[in-house]
Amino acid sequence: MPGQTVQALGALLIGGVFVFAGIEHFLKFGAMRGYLAAQKFPAPALMLAAGSAVEIVAGFLLAVGMARPFAAGALVIFTLATNAMLLRFWASEEPERQVLRNAFLINIAVIGGLLLAGTF
C-alpha cells in the first residue's frame, strides 16, 4: 500500500474517532455535563459544547483531508487541554491514578498520531 494511502487512512481513522466522540458527547450531553461539573470543570455546559464542536469539525476536516495542519493542531490543543483538566492522575489515589494515567498516556500517543496526520 503506497505511503500516501496509508497516511490518508490514518487521518481518516483518527479524525473519525474525534467525530464519533464529539457526536456522542452531544447525545449524552446531560450526563457529560454532570460529570464535568462534578470534576469542578469551569462552565461545564459551555466547555462541553465548544469542545464537542471542535472534535466534530476538526475531526471531520482531518478525516476528509481538508486543512489537515489546522485540524490536527486544533485537536492537539483540545487533547492537551483535556489531559490537563480532566486526567489529573497526579491528584488521585490508586487504583484511579493508574486508570487516569493510562488514559493520559493514550492521549499523548493520540497527539503523536495527530502530529503525523497533520504534516503530510
Side-chain angles (χ1 to χ4, degrees), residues 8-27:
L9 179 59
L12 174 66
L13 293 173
I14 199 164
V17 167
F18 279 97
V19 171
F20 176 82
I23 291 170
E24 186 176 43
H25 292 157
F26 277 120
L27 293 175

Side-chain angles (χ1 to χ4, degrees), residues 32-116:
M32 293 295 299
R33 184 193 46 73
Y35 174 76
L36 293 177
Q39 299 297 317
K40 297 181 176 42
F41 208 76
L46 174 64
M47 296 297 278
L48 177 58
S52 298
V54 166
E55 285 182 295
I56 293 167
V57 172
F60 177 79
L61 290 173
L62 185 63
V64 299
M66 296 175 59
R68 279 194 179 129
F70 168 78
L75 292 171
V76 165
I77 291 167
F78 169 81
T79 305
L80 284 171
T82 300
N83 261 8
M85 296 177 84
L86 287 179
L87 301 176
R88 299 166 25 99
F89 66 88
W90 54 89
S92 300
E93 299 295 325
E94 294 293 344
E96 183 183 27
R97 176 182 293 217
Q98 183 176 359
V99 171
L100 292 175
R101 182 178 50 236
N102 287 345
F104 186 96
L105 293 173
I106 289 167
N107 280 350
I108 296 299
V110 167
I111 289 169
L114 287 167
L115 292 172
L116 290 172

